[in-house]
PDB file of all heavy atoms in Angstrom:
ATOM      1  N   ARG B  20     120.157   4.589 198.048  1.00 98.00           N
ATOM      2  CA  ARG B  20     120.543   5.722 197.194  1.00 98.00           C
ATOM      3  C   ARG B  20     121.663   6.490 197.879  1.00 98.00           C
ATOM      4  O   ARG B  20     121.485   6.991 198.982  1.00 98.00           O
ATOM      5  CB  ARG B  20     119.355   6.647 196.968  1.00 98.00           C
ATOM      6  CG  ARG B  20     118.399   6.136 195.941  1.00 98.00           C
ATOM      7  CD  ARG B  20     117.347   7.174 195.611  1.00 98.00           C
ATOM      8  NE  ARG B  20     116.461   6.655 194.594  1.00 98.00           N
ATOM      9  CZ  ARG B  20     116.156   7.282 193.476  1.00 98.00           C
ATOM     10  NH1 ARG B  20     116.673   8.472 193.241  1.00 98.00           N
ATOM     11  NH2 ARG B  20     115.355   6.743 192.606  1.00 98.00           N
ATOM     12  N   LEU B  21     122.774   6.588 197.196  1.00 98.00           N
ATOM     13  CA  LEU B  21     123.936   7.273 197.735  1.00 98.00           C
ATOM     14  C   LEU B  21     124.182   8.523 196.891  1.00 98.00           C
ATOM     15  O   LEU B  21     124.159   8.451 195.666  1.00 98.00           O
ATOM     16  CB  LEU B  21     125.165   6.365 197.673  1.00 98.00           C
ATOM     17  CG  LEU B  21     125.244   5.186 198.661  1.00 98.00           C
ATOM     18  CD1 LEU B  21     124.124   4.185 198.449  1.00 98.00           C
ATOM     19  CD2 LEU B  21     126.576   4.490 198.524  1.00 98.00           C
ATOM     20  N   ARG B  22     124.429   9.635 197.583  1.00 98.00           N
ATOM     21  CA  ARG B  22     124.572  10.899 196.873  1.00 98.00           C
ATOM     22  C   ARG B  22     125.988  11.445 196.991  1.00 98.00           C
ATOM     23  O   ARG B  22     126.643  11.290 198.017  1.00 98.00           O
ATOM     24  CB  ARG B  22     123.587  11.932 197.428  1.00 98.00           C
ATOM     25  CG  ARG B  22     122.142  11.592 197.165  1.00 98.00           C
ATOM     26  CD  ARG B  22     121.206  12.564 197.836  1.00 98.00           C
ATOM     27  NE  ARG B  22     119.824  12.161 197.680  1.00 98.00           N
ATOM     28  CZ  ARG B  22     119.229  11.196 198.365  1.00 98.00           C
ATOM     29  NH1 ARG B  22     119.897  10.538 199.274  1.00 98.00           N
ATOM     30  NH2 ARG B  22     117.969  10.893 198.143  1.00 98.00           N
ATOM     31  N   CYS B  23     126.388  12.111 195.927  1.00 97.00           N
ATOM     32  CA  CYS B  23     127.722  12.705 195.893  1.00 97.00           C
ATOM     33  C   CYS B  23     127.657  14.058 195.220  1.00 97.00           C
ATOM     34  O   CYS B  23     127.228  14.169 194.063  1.00 97.00           O
ATOM     35  CB  CYS B  23     128.679  11.792 195.130  1.00 97.00           C
ATOM     36  SG  CYS B  23     130.273  12.558 194.746  1.00 97.00           S
ATOM     37  N   SER B  24     128.082  15.090 195.932  1.00 97.00           N
ATOM     38  CA  SER B  24     128.196  16.428 195.347  1.00 97.00           C
ATOM     39  C   SER B  24     129.669  16.719 195.119  1.00 97.00           C
ATOM     40  O   SER B  24     130.437  16.807 196.086  1.00 97.00           O
ATOM     41  CB  SER B  24     127.583  17.467 196.279  1.00 97.00           C
ATOM     42  OG  SER B  24     126.202  17.237 196.452  1.00 97.00           O
ATOM     43  N   PRO B  25     130.085  16.854 193.865  1.00 95.00           N
ATOM     44  CA  PRO B  25     131.505  17.083 193.597  1.00 95.00           C
ATOM     45  C   PRO B  25     131.933  18.477 194.030  1.00 95.00           C
ATOM     46  O   PRO B  25     131.110  19.333 194.359  1.00 95.00           O
ATOM     47  CB  PRO B  25     131.590  16.947 192.071  1.00 95.00           C
ATOM     48  CG  PRO B  25     130.227  17.299 191.583  1.00 95.00           C
ATOM     49  CD  PRO B  25     129.275  16.833 192.643  1.00 95.00           C
ATOM     50  N   MET B  26     133.222  18.687 194.026  1.00 93.00           N
ATOM     51  CA  MET B  26     133.749  20.011 194.321  1.00 93.00           C
ATOM     52  C   MET B  26     133.298  20.978 193.230  1.00 93.00           C
ATOM     53  O   MET B  26     133.091  20.596 192.081  1.00 93.00           O
ATOM     54  CB  MET B  26     135.270  19.968 194.398  1.00 93.00           C
ATOM     55  CG  MET B  26     135.791  19.243 195.622  1.00 93.00           C
ATOM     56  SD  MET B  26     137.584  19.210 195.705  1.00 93.00           S
ATOM     57  CE  MET B  26     137.935  20.931 196.052  1.00 93.00           C
ATOM     58  N   LYS B  27     133.190  22.224 193.600  1.00 91.00           N
ATOM     59  CA  LYS B  27     132.743  23.247 192.663  1.00 91.00           C
ATOM     60  C   LYS B  27     133.689  23.299 191.471  1.00 91.00           C
ATOM     61  O   LYS B  27     134.915  23.310 191.624  1.00 91.00           O
ATOM     62  CB  LYS B  27     132.718  24.611 193.362  1.00 91.00           C
ATOM     63  CG  LYS B  27     132.080  25.707 192.532  1.00 91.00           C
ATOM     64  CD  LYS B  27     132.004  26.997 193.331  1.00 91.00           C
ATOM     65  CE  LYS B  27     131.376  28.103 192.488  1.00 91.00           C
ATOM     66  NZ  LYS B  27     131.295  29.378 193.231  1.00 91.00           N
ATOM     67  N   GLY B  28     133.105  23.284 190.280  1.00 88.00           N
ATOM     68  CA  GLY B  28     133.918  23.364 189.078  1.00 88.00           C
ATOM     69  C   GLY B  28     134.374  22.017 188.540  1.00 88.00           C
ATOM     70  O   GLY B  28     134.949  21.939 187.460  1.00 88.00           O
ATOM     71  N   HIS B  29     134.128  20.938 189.289  1.00 90.00           N
ATOM     72  CA  HIS B  29     134.528  19.609 188.828  1.00 90.00           C
ATOM     73  C   HIS B  29     133.377  18.965 188.065  1.00 90.00           C
ATOM     74  O   HIS B  29     132.253  18.887 188.570  1.00 90.00           O
ATOM     75  CB  HIS B  29     134.891  18.717 190.018  1.00 90.00           C
ATOM     76  CG  HIS B  29     136.169  19.087 190.680  1.00 90.00           C
ATOM     77  ND1 HIS B  29     136.807  18.259 191.591  1.00 90.00           N
ATOM     78  CD2 HIS B  29     136.947  20.187 190.563  1.00 90.00           C
ATOM     79  CE1 HIS B  29     137.913  18.844 191.994  1.00 90.00           C
ATOM     80  NE2 HIS B  29     138.020  20.011 191.406  1.00 90.00           N
ATOM     81  N   SER B  30     133.689  18.471 186.882  1.00 89.00           N
ATOM     82  CA  SER B  30     132.644  17.860 186.059  1.00 89.00           C
ATOM     83  C   SER B  30     132.841  16.361 185.891  1.00 89.00           C
ATOM     84  O   SER B  30     132.103  15.714 185.149  1.00 89.00           O
ATOM     85  CB  SER B  30     132.612  18.523 184.680  1.00 89.00           C
ATOM     86  OG  SER B  30     133.878  18.381 184.048  1.00 89.00           O
ATOM     87  N   HIS B  31     133.852  15.804 186.575  1.00 92.00           N
ATOM     88  CA  HIS B  31     134.114  14.369 186.484  1.00 92.00           C
ATOM     89  C   HIS B  31     133.856  13.743 187.855  1.00 92.00           C
ATOM     90  O   HIS B  31     134.362  14.241 188.866  1.00 92.00           O
ATOM     91  CB  HIS B  31     135.571  14.105 186.093  1.00 92.00           C
ATOM     92  CG  HIS B  31     135.980  14.748 184.811  1.00 92.00           C
ATOM     93  ND1 HIS B  31     136.128  14.044 183.635  1.00 92.00           N
ATOM     94  CD2 HIS B  31     136.267  16.038 184.515  1.00 92.00           C
ATOM     95  CE1 HIS B  31     136.494  14.883 182.675  1.00 92.00           C
ATOM     96  NE2 HIS B  31     136.581  16.091 183.172  1.00 92.00           N
ATOM     97  N   VAL B  32     133.100  12.666 187.880  1.00 95.00           N
ATOM     98  CA  VAL B  32     132.781  11.971 189.128  1.00 95.00           C
ATOM     99  C   VAL B  32     133.076  10.485 188.967  1.00 95.00           C
ATOM    100  O   VAL B  32     132.781   9.888 187.928  1.00 95.00           O
ATOM    101  CB  VAL B  32     131.299  12.179 189.521  1.00 95.00           C
ATOM    102  CG1 VAL B  32     130.888  11.192 190.599  1.00 95.00           C
ATOM    103  CG2 VAL B  32     131.070  13.607 190.011  1.00 95.00           C
ATOM    104  N   TYR B  33     133.650   9.913 190.008  1.00 95.00           N
ATOM    105  CA  TYR B  33     134.000   8.496 190.024  1.00 95.00           C
ATOM    106  C   TYR B  33     133.400   7.870 191.278  1.00 95.00           C
ATOM    107  O   TYR B  33     133.417   8.482 192.350  1.00 95.00           O
ATOM    108  CB  TYR B  33     135.525   8.311 190.074  1.00 95.00           C
ATOM    109  CG  TYR B  33     136.281   9.043 188.984  1.00 95.00           C
ATOM    110  CD1 TYR B  33     136.501  10.417 189.054  1.00 95.00           C
ATOM    111  CD2 TYR B  33     136.808   8.365 187.892  1.00 95.00           C
ATOM    112  CE1 TYR B  33     137.199  11.099 188.067  1.00 95.00           C
ATOM    113  CE2 TYR B  33     137.520   9.032 186.903  1.00 95.00           C
ATOM    114  CZ  TYR B  33     137.704  10.390 186.995  1.00 95.00           C
ATOM    115  OH  TYR B  33     138.419  11.057 186.010  1.00 95.00           O
ATOM    116  N   TRP B  34     132.913   6.651 191.149  1.00 96.00           N
ATOM    117  CA  TRP B  34     132.432   5.890 192.306  1.00 96.00           C
ATOM    118  C   TRP B  34     133.307   4.653 192.491  1.00 96.00           C
ATOM    119  O   TRP B  34     133.653   3.967 191.519  1.00 96.00           O
ATOM    120  CB  TRP B  34     130.981   5.453 192.113  1.00 96.00           C
ATOM    121  CG  TRP B  34     129.977   6.542 192.281  1.00 96.00           C
ATOM    122  CD1 TRP B  34     129.424   7.322 191.307  1.00 96.00           C
ATOM    123  CD2 TRP B  34     129.370   6.971 193.513  1.00 96.00           C
ATOM    124  NE1 TRP B  34     128.528   8.210 191.849  1.00 96.00           N
ATOM    125  CE2 TRP B  34     128.468   8.005 193.198  1.00 96.00           C
ATOM    126  CE3 TRP B  34     129.494   6.562 194.849  1.00 96.00           C
ATOM    127  CZ2 TRP B  34     127.694   8.660 194.167  1.00 96.00           C
ATOM    128  CZ3 TRP B  34     128.734   7.205 195.813  1.00 96.00           C
ATOM    129  CH2 TRP B  34     127.846   8.243 195.471  1.00 96.00           C
ATOM    130  N   TYR B  35     133.626   4.379 193.769  1.00 94.00           N
ATOM    131  CA  TYR B  35     134.423   3.220 194.138  1.00 94.00           C
ATOM    132  C   TYR B  35     133.741   2.485 195.281  1.00 94.00           C
ATOM    133  O   TYR B  35     133.032   3.085 196.087  1.00 94.00           O
ATOM    134  CB  TYR B  35     135.816   3.649 194.624  1.00 94.00           C
ATOM    135  CG  TYR B  35     136.673   4.339 193.588  1.00 94.00           C
ATOM    136  CD1 TYR B  35     136.583   5.726 193.404  1.00 94.00           C
ATOM    137  CD2 TYR B  35     137.575   3.623 192.814  1.00 94.00           C
ATOM    138  CE1 TYR B  35     137.372   6.366 192.458  1.00 94.00           C
ATOM    139  CE2 TYR B  35     138.370   4.266 191.872  1.00 94.00           C
ATOM    140  CZ  TYR B  35     138.257   5.634 191.699  1.00 94.00           C
ATOM    141  OH  TYR B  35     139.044   6.273 190.768  1.00 94.00           O
ATOM    142  N   ARG B  36     134.021   1.202 195.355  1.00 94.00           N
ATOM    143  CA  ARG B  36     133.532   0.399 196.478  1.00 94.00           C
ATOM    144  C   ARG B  36     134.728  -0.178 197.217  1.00 94.00           C
ATOM    145  O   ARG B  36     135.694  -0.639 196.596  1.00 94.00           O
ATOM    146  CB  ARG B  36     132.630  -0.731 195.978  1.00 94.00           C
ATOM    147  CG  ARG B  36     132.135  -1.649 197.076  1.00 94.00           C
ATOM    148  CD  ARG B  36     130.964  -2.477 196.643  1.00 94.00           C
ATOM    149  NE  ARG B  36     131.260  -3.381 195.541  1.00 94.00           N
ATOM    150  CZ  ARG B  36     130.378  -4.242 195.056  1.00 94.00           C
ATOM    151  NH1 ARG B  36     129.163  -4.301 195.556  1.00 94.00           N
ATOM    152  NH2 ARG B  36     130.700  -5.031 194.059  1.00 94.00           N
ATOM    153  N   GLN B  37     134.644  -0.159 198.521  1.00 90.00           N
ATOM    154  CA  GLN B  37     135.712  -0.717 199.346  1.00 90.00           C
ATOM    155  C   GLN B  37     135.089  -1.696 200.324  1.00 90.00           C
ATOM    156  O   GLN B  37     134.332  -1.302 201.210  1.00 90.00           O
ATOM    157  CB  GLN B  37     136.467   0.389 200.087  1.00 90.00           C
ATOM    158  CG  GLN B  37     137.688  -0.121 200.832  1.00 90.00           C
ATOM    159  CD  GLN B  37     138.481   1.014 201.475  1.00 90.00           C
ATOM    160  OE1 GLN B  37     137.915   1.957 202.019  1.00 90.00           O
ATOM    161  NE2 GLN B  37     139.797   0.932 201.406  1.00 90.00           N
ATOM    162  N   LEU B  38     135.425  -2.951 200.136  1.00 85.00           N
ATOM    163  CA  LEU B  38     134.946  -3.975 201.051  1.00 85.00           C
ATOM    164  C   LEU B  38     135.890  -4.054 202.244  1.00 85.00           C
ATOM    165  O   LEU B  38     137.070  -3.692 202.123  1.00 85.00           O
ATOM    166  CB  LEU B  38     134.870  -5.324 200.324  1.00 85.00           C
ATOM    167  CG  LEU B  38     133.799  -5.389 199.235  1.00 85.00           C
ATOM    168  CD1 LEU B  38     134.001  -6.606 198.355  1.00 85.00           C
ATOM    169  CD2 LEU B  38     132.415  -5.411 199.851  1.00 85.00           C
ATOM    170  N   PRO B  39     135.408  -4.546 203.381  1.00 74.00           N
ATOM    171  CA  PRO B  39     136.265  -4.634 204.569  1.00 74.00           C
ATOM    172  C   PRO B  39     137.568  -5.362 204.269  1.00 74.00           C
ATOM    173  O   PRO B  39     137.569  -6.421 203.649  1.00 74.00           O
ATOM    174  CB  PRO B  39     135.398  -5.406 205.563  1.00 74.00           C
ATOM    175  CG  PRO B  39     133.993  -5.123 205.147  1.00 74.00           C
ATOM    176  CD  PRO B  39     134.046  -5.003 203.643  1.00 74.00           C
ATOM    177  N   GLU B  40     138.661  -4.774 204.691  1.00 70.00           N
ATOM    178  CA  GLU B  40     139.996  -5.361 204.536  1.00 70.00           C
ATOM    179  C   GLU B  40     140.405  -5.540 203.073  1.00 70.00           C
ATOM    180  O   GLU B  40     141.323  -6.290 202.770  1.00 70.00           O
ATOM    181  CB  GLU B  40     140.089  -6.726 205.241  1.00 70.00           C
ATOM    182  CG  GLU B  40     139.657  -6.690 206.699  1.00 70.00           C
ATOM    183  CD  GLU B  40     140.478  -5.716 207.523  1.00 70.00           C
ATOM    184  OE1 GLU B  40     141.690  -5.619 207.294  1.00 70.00           O
ATOM    185  OE2 GLU B  40     139.885  -5.033 208.393  1.00 70.00           O
ATOM    186  N   GLU B  41     139.747  -4.832 202.168  1.00 73.00           N
ATOM    187  CA  GLU B  41     140.123  -4.939 200.755  1.00 73.00           C
ATOM    188  C   GLU B  41     140.440  -3.563 200.192  1.00 73.00           C
ATOM    189  O   GLU B  41     140.233  -2.539 200.822  1.00 73.00           O
ATOM    190  CB  GLU B  41     138.996  -5.585 199.950  1.00 73.00           C
ATOM    191  CG  GLU B  41     138.775  -7.047 200.275  1.00 73.00           C
ATOM    192  CD  GLU B  41     137.827  -7.691 199.291  1.00 73.00           C
ATOM    193  OE1 GLU B  41     137.601  -7.138 198.215  1.00 73.00           O
ATOM    194  OE2 GLU B  41     137.305  -8.774 199.634  1.00 73.00           O
ATOM    195  N   GLY B  42     140.944  -3.563 198.984  1.00 75.00           N
ATOM    196  CA  GLY B  42     141.303  -2.312 198.334  1.00 75.00           C
ATOM    197  C   GLY B  42     140.111  -1.634 197.715  1.00 75.00           C
ATOM    198  O   GLY B  42     138.956  -1.993 197.936  1.00 75.00           O
ATOM    199  N   LEU B  43     140.423  -0.642 196.926  1.00 83.00           N
ATOM    200  CA  LEU B  43     139.422   0.196 196.287  1.00 83.00           C
ATOM    201  C   LEU B  43     139.087  -0.397 194.931  1.00 83.00           C
ATOM    202  O   LEU B  43     139.973  -0.625 194.112  1.00 83.00           O
ATOM    203  CB  LEU B  43     140.027   1.584 196.103  1.00 83.00           C
ATOM    204  CG  LEU B  43     139.144   2.802 196.263  1.00 83.00           C
ATOM    205  CD1 LEU B  43     138.497   2.834 197.621  1.00 83.00           C
ATOM    206  CD2 LEU B  43     139.984   4.039 196.048  1.00 83.00           C
ATOM    207  N   LYS B  44     137.805  -0.619 194.684  1.00 87.00           N
ATOM    208  CA  LYS B  44     137.385  -1.174 193.396  1.00 87.00           C
ATOM    209  C   LYS B  44     136.622  -0.106 192.615  1.00 87.00           C
ATOM    210  O   LYS B  44     135.607   0.397 193.070  1.00 87.00           O
ATOM    211  CB  LYS B  44     136.475  -2.388 193.605  1.00 87.00           C
ATOM    212  CG  LYS B  44     137.094  -3.506 194.415  1.00 87.00           C
ATOM    213  CD  LYS B  44     138.239  -4.165 193.687  1.00 87.00           C
ATOM    214  CE  LYS B  44     138.755  -5.363 194.476  1.00 87.00           C
ATOM    215  NZ  LYS B  44     139.969  -5.939 193.885  1.00 87.00           N
ATOM    216  N   PHE B  45     137.112   0.196 191.436  1.00 89.00           N
ATOM    217  CA  PHE B  45     136.449   1.160 190.565  1.00 89.00           C
ATOM    218  C   PHE B  45     135.079   0.618 190.152  1.00 89.00           C
ATOM    219  O   PHE B  45     134.933  -0.554 189.824  1.00 89.00           O
ATOM    220  CB  PHE B  45     137.304   1.420 189.327  1.00 89.00           C
ATOM    221  CG  PHE B  45     136.600   2.138 188.219  1.00 89.00           C
ATOM    222  CD1 PHE B  45     136.384   3.505 188.292  1.00 89.00           C
ATOM    223  CD2 PHE B  45     136.131   1.449 187.112  1.00 89.00           C
ATOM    224  CE1 PHE B  45     135.728   4.169 187.269  1.00 89.00           C
ATOM    225  CE2 PHE B  45     135.471   2.105 186.093  1.00 89.00           C
ATOM    226  CZ  PHE B  45     135.272   3.470 186.169  1.00 89.00           C
ATOM    227  N   MET B  46     134.090   1.498 190.160  1.00 94.00           N
ATOM    228  CA  MET B  46     132.760   1.094 189.707  1.00 94.00           C
ATOM    229  C   MET B  46     132.369   1.812 188.425  1.00 94.00           C
ATOM    230  O   MET B  46     132.091   1.188 187.402  1.00 94.00           O
ATOM    231  CB  MET B  46     131.726   1.375 190.784  1.00 94.00           C
ATOM    232  CG  MET B  46     131.955   0.621 192.076  1.00 94.00           C
ATOM    233  SD  MET B  46     130.667   0.945 193.274  1.00 94.00           S
ATOM    234  CE  MET B  46     129.332  -0.030 192.608  1.00 94.00           C
ATOM    235  N   VAL B  47     132.362   3.153 188.477  1.00 95.00           N
ATOM    236  CA  VAL B  47     131.834   3.903 187.347  1.00 95.00           C
ATOM    237  C   VAL B  47     132.448   5.294 187.313  1.00 95.00           C
ATOM    238  O   VAL B  47     132.790   5.857 188.354  1.00 95.00           O
ATOM    239  CB  VAL B  47     130.289   3.976 187.424  1.00 95.00           C
ATOM    240  CG1 VAL B  47     129.837   4.714 188.669  1.00 95.00           C
ATOM    241  CG2 VAL B  47     129.678   4.600 186.181  1.00 95.00           C
ATOM    242  N   TYR B  48     132.566   5.811 186.080  1.00 93.00           N
ATOM    243  CA  TYR B  48     133.101   7.153 185.851  1.00 93.00           C
ATOM    244  C   TYR B  48     132.078   7.919 185.028  1.00 93.00           C
ATOM    245  O   TYR B  48     131.643   7.452 183.980  1.00 93.00           O
ATOM    246  CB  TYR B  48     134.449   7.029 185.144  1.00 93.00           C
ATOM    247  CG  TYR B  48     134.990   8.264 184.461  1.00 93.00           C
ATOM    248  CD1 TYR B  48     134.799   9.543 184.975  1.00 93.00           C
ATOM    249  CD2 TYR B  48     135.727   8.138 183.284  1.00 93.00           C
ATOM    250  CE1 TYR B  48     135.313  10.655 184.330  1.00 93.00           C
ATOM    251  CE2 TYR B  48     136.253   9.244 182.640  1.00 93.00           C
ATOM    252  CZ  TYR B  48     136.035  10.499 183.159  1.00 93.00           C
ATOM    253  OH  TYR B  48     136.545  11.602 182.520  1.00 93.00           O
ATOM    254  N   LEU B  49     131.692   9.086 185.526  1.00 94.00           N
ATOM    255  CA  LEU B  49     130.659   9.871 184.848  1.00 94.00           C
ATOM    256  C   LEU B  49     131.125  11.307 184.644  1.00 94.00           C
ATOM    257  O   LEU B  49     131.894  11.847 185.446  1.00 94.00           O
ATOM    258  CB  LEU B  49     129.368   9.924 185.686  1.00 94.00           C
ATOM    259  CG  LEU B  49     128.800   8.636 186.233  1.00 94.00           C
ATOM    260  CD1 LEU B  49     129.111   8.490 187.708  1.00 94.00           C
ATOM    261  CD2 LEU B  49     127.302   8.585 186.026  1.00 94.00           C
ATOM    262  N   GLN B  50     130.657  11.889 183.576  1.00 92.00           N
ATOM    263  CA  GLN B  50     130.693  13.333 183.407  1.00 92.00           C
ATOM    264  C   GLN B  50     129.245  13.800 183.371  1.00 92.00           C
ATOM    265  O   GLN B  50     128.328  12.977 183.309  1.00 92.00           O
ATOM    266  CB  GLN B  50     131.427  13.713 182.123  1.00 92.00           C
ATOM    267  CG  GLN B  50     132.909  13.415 182.178  1.00 92.00           C
ATOM    268  CD  GLN B  50     133.634  13.878 180.931  1.00 92.00           C
ATOM    269  OE1 GLN B  50     133.236  14.840 180.285  1.00 92.00           O
ATOM    270  NE2 GLN B  50     134.693  13.183 180.580  1.00 92.00           N
TER     271      GLN B  50
END
Side-chain angles (χ1 to χ4, degrees):
Chain B
R20 281 188 179 232
L21 287 63
R22 294 175 185 77
C23 169
S24 297
M26 289 180 70
K27 188 176 179 180
H29 289 193
S30 59
H31 303 256
V32 166
Y33 306 77
W34 285 95
Y35 296 87
R36 177 163 62 177
Q37 187 176 40
L38 292 167
E40 307 301 322
E41 291 190 17
L43 216 57
K44 302 293 185 187
F45 167 77
M46 298 182 75
V47 63
Y48 163 35
L49 311 103
Q50 291 184 30

